[in-house]
């Protein structure tokens, strides 16, 4: 869901290839996002939504390390053990992808995230610090999405432009700009809600409640919002097609 570019029009001779390359990379990012996967499937059912959020493997890789940490610390109160177990799980994911000759980048990214969380937790011997990177991530997404609305380039609109082939023409339609801004603000709301709920738990040292909130407010909130976003985009596309006809 992170894209940005200017489509249409001729690029200047100087640096044109760089602009085209950036456009291509951003378009690929849009198509590989959850919205892009739903658009590619053309359907909104359980199977397509599951595929859009990474499939069964993607869901397990996203949720299992956090669940293992939460359960291990709740049962043992041993910080080192509770951190070691998610690292082992992440390493298993990487090895499994290598054996099956599948892309390892998602699993490696997950392991790096676990390592960062582990380092922060061990530095001060504070298990709640394991969750700090999540705050950084949610804060960054919130800031970028909100900024995109303020500058008139809501990220959902940019992504929709790539996925529907409309480029940036949607910016000439005030109604579309408002809708895409509203959708982008909905995503801002998701990331803001996570921070509003989870940060007080962090400062209170409520590890079990914080870990549970992280799990519940992850994919279970992300998936429905993804579906709503794509349904609105698809409806707008069909409406625009009818109007053009």
């Amino acid at each position: 869901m992170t894209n940005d570019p200017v489509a249409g029009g001729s690029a200047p001779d100087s640096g044109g290839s760089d602009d085209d390359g950036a456009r291509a990379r951003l378009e690929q990012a849009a198509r590989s996002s959850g919205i892009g996967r739903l658009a590619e499937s053309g359907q909104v059912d359980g199977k397509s939504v599951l595929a859009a959020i990474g499939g069964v493997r993607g869901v397990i890789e996203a949720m299992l390390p956090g669940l293992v940490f939460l359960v291990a610390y709740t049962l043992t109160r041993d910080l080192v053990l509770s951190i070691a177990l998610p690292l082992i799980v992440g390493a298993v994911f990487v090895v499994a992808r290598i054996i099956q000759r599948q892309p390892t980048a998602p699993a490696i990214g997950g392991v790096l995230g676990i390592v960062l969380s582990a380092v922060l937790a061990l530095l001060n011997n504070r298990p709640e610090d394991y969750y700090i990177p999540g705050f950084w991530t949610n804060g960054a997404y919130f800031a970028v999405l909100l900024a995109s609305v303020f500058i008139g380039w809501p990220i959902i609109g940019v992504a929709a432009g790539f996925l529907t082939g409309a480029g940036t023409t949607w910016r000439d339609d005030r109604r579309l700009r408002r809708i895409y801004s509203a959708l982008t603000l909905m995503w801002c709301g998701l990331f803001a809600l996570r921070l509003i709920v989870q940060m007080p738990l962090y400062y209170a040292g409520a590890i079990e409640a914080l870990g549970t909130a992280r799990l519940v407010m992850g994919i279970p909130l992300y998936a429905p919002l993804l579906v709503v976003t794509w349904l609105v985009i698809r409806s707008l596309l069909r409406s625009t097609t009818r109007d053009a006809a």
Side-chain angles (χ1 to χ4, degrees), residues 171-183:
R171 297 192 74 244
D172 298 326
D173 187 322
R174 182 176 299 178
R175 172 174 166 270
L176 288 179
R177 287 205 312 272
R178 286 201 302 265
I179 293 174
Y180 288 140
S181 293
L183 287 173

Side-chain angles (χ1 to χ4, degrees), residues 81-119:
L81 175 64
S82 302
I83 286 173
L85 291 177
L87 285 170
I88 293 172
V89 170
V92 169
F93 290 152
V94 173
V95 172
R97 283 180 173 268
I98 292 174
I99 292 174
Q100 296 176 353
R101 296 183 179 180
Q102 295 186 347
T104 58
I108 291 175
V111 170
L112 293 177
I114 297 171
V115 169
L116 177 58
S117 296
V119 169

Side-chain angles (χ1 to χ4, degrees), residues 16-159:
S17 60
D18 290 340
D19 291 343
D20 291 342
R23 246 185 237 111
R25 288 192 295 272
L26 290 167
E27 182 173 358
Q28 179 58 38
R31 296 193 181 283
S32 61
S33 67
I35 296 174
R37 293 189 187 115
L38 278 180
E40 185 178 346
S41 71
Q43 299 179 356
V44 181
D45 52 24
K47 184 177 180 180
S48 60
V49 172
L50 181 61
I53 60 178
V56 174
R57 165 170 280 178
V59 172
I60 293 175
E61 289 180 351
M63 299 189 69
L64 187 58
L67 178 61
V68 168
F69 173 81
L70 176 62
V71 172
Y73 188 77
T74 299
L75 295 177
T76 69
R77 297 292 167 175
D78 185 327
L79 181 57
V80 174
L81 175 64
S82 302
I83 286 173
L85 291 177
L87 285 170
I88 293 172
V89 170
V92 169
F93 290 152
V94 173
V95 172
R97 283 180 173 268
I98 292 174
I99 292 174
Q100 296 176 353
R101 296 183 179 180
Q102 295 186 347
T104 58
I108 291 175
V111 170
L112 293 177
I114 297 171
V115 169
L116 177 58
S117 296
V119 169
L120 292 172
L122 290 173
L123 278 177
N124 296 317
N125 195 33
R126 286 166 49 90
E128 56 266 40
D129 286 356
Y130 183 85
Y131 296 106
I132 286 180
F135 298 145
W136 293 344
T137 301
N138 284 291
Y141 276 123
F142 172 79
V144 171
L145 288 165
L146 189 61
S148 75
V149 173
F150 280 130
I151 66 176
W153 287 87
I155 286 179
I156 298 300
V158 175

